[in-house]
Amino acid sequence: MKKLLYLLILALPLVVMNSCDDDDDVPNVSLSATIDGATRVDNTLYVVSGETLDIESINIIDNTKKGAVIGSASYFWDYYRLGGTIVAPYGMEIDTDDIPLGNHLLQIKVSIYAVDYSPCIGYMEYPVKIVASEDDIPTDGEIEPSPTLNLVVTTDDDAD
């Protein structure tokens, strides 16, 4: 009887790993982020040094029509993890007091759960330029203060 129990315990991980083996489809979703404290010029966010870059919310646009939700959001600045949240609207404030002037990269990793799909990860990234004053923000090009970003989402079905 003990041998049977041990065999069942050993077989359980194989059953779990095989259950998602053929689930190669990722849901048709996209993400948008509402940002305050930045001005978008063309495809770059400009933030005045000392101001707070406030990602107010991350929203999912569900094109599956079956139901999709965000599970969590993790924030990265120049590839360094700042933190994360599991609470809607999945926002974060980034204080720019100690950030050097110049070019930086904001990345957001979002876990996505959709009906009839395996869990997946969506990645959003945006270039950010920290400037000394508002006078350093370009005045030519497509300008949008406090932008709502509709970003292309790359989904990865190897959810962490």
Side-chain angles (χ1 to χ4, degrees), residues 12-68:
L12 185 60
L14 296 174
V15 171
V16 171
M17 286 188 275
N18 266 343
S19 68
C20 297
D21 188 38
D22 61 347
D23 296 339
D24 292 332
D25 292 337
V26 292
N28 182 11
V29 298
S30 56
L31 299 170
S32 69
T34 305
I35 296 178
D36 191 29
T39 300
R40 183 175 64 97
V41 178
D42 295 327
N43 289 322
T44 302
L45 293 175
Y46 286 83
V47 180
V48 176
S49 181
E51 297 291 323
T52 300
L53 175 59
D54 184 10
I55 298 96
E56 293 177 342
S57 65
I58 299 174
N59 302 300
I60 191 165
I61 296 116
D62 179 14
N63 299 317
T64 68
K65 307 299 182 211
K66 293 182 178 182

Side-chain angles (χ1 to χ4, degrees), residues 7 10 15 24 34 37 48 52 68 99 106 110 115 122 126 128 145 152 157:
L7 286 174
L10 290 173
V15 171
D24 292 332
T34 305
V48 176
T52 300
I99 297 176
L106 170 65
V110 179
V115 175
Y126 226 79
V128 179
V152 175
D157 63 348

Side-chain angles (χ1 to χ4, degrees), residues 21 26-27 35 37 40 63 73 78 85-86 96 98 111 117-118 129 131 135 137 141-142 149 154:
D21 188 38
V26 292
I35 296 178
R40 183 175 64 97
N63 299 317
D78 291 336
T85 181
I86 59 171
T96 62
D98 297 327
S111 61
Y117 292 93
S118 297
K129 185 164 189 171
V131 294
D135 297 334
I137 299 174
E142 185 180 333
L149 307 174
T154 304

Side-chain angles (χ1 to χ4, degrees), residues 80-102:
Y80 176 75
R81 188 174 192 278
L82 295 176
T85 181
I86 59 171
V87 179
Y90 311 102
M92 176 173 261
E93 293 182 354
I94 301 171
D95 185 16
T96 62
D97 277 335
D98 297 327
I99 297 176
L101 299 179

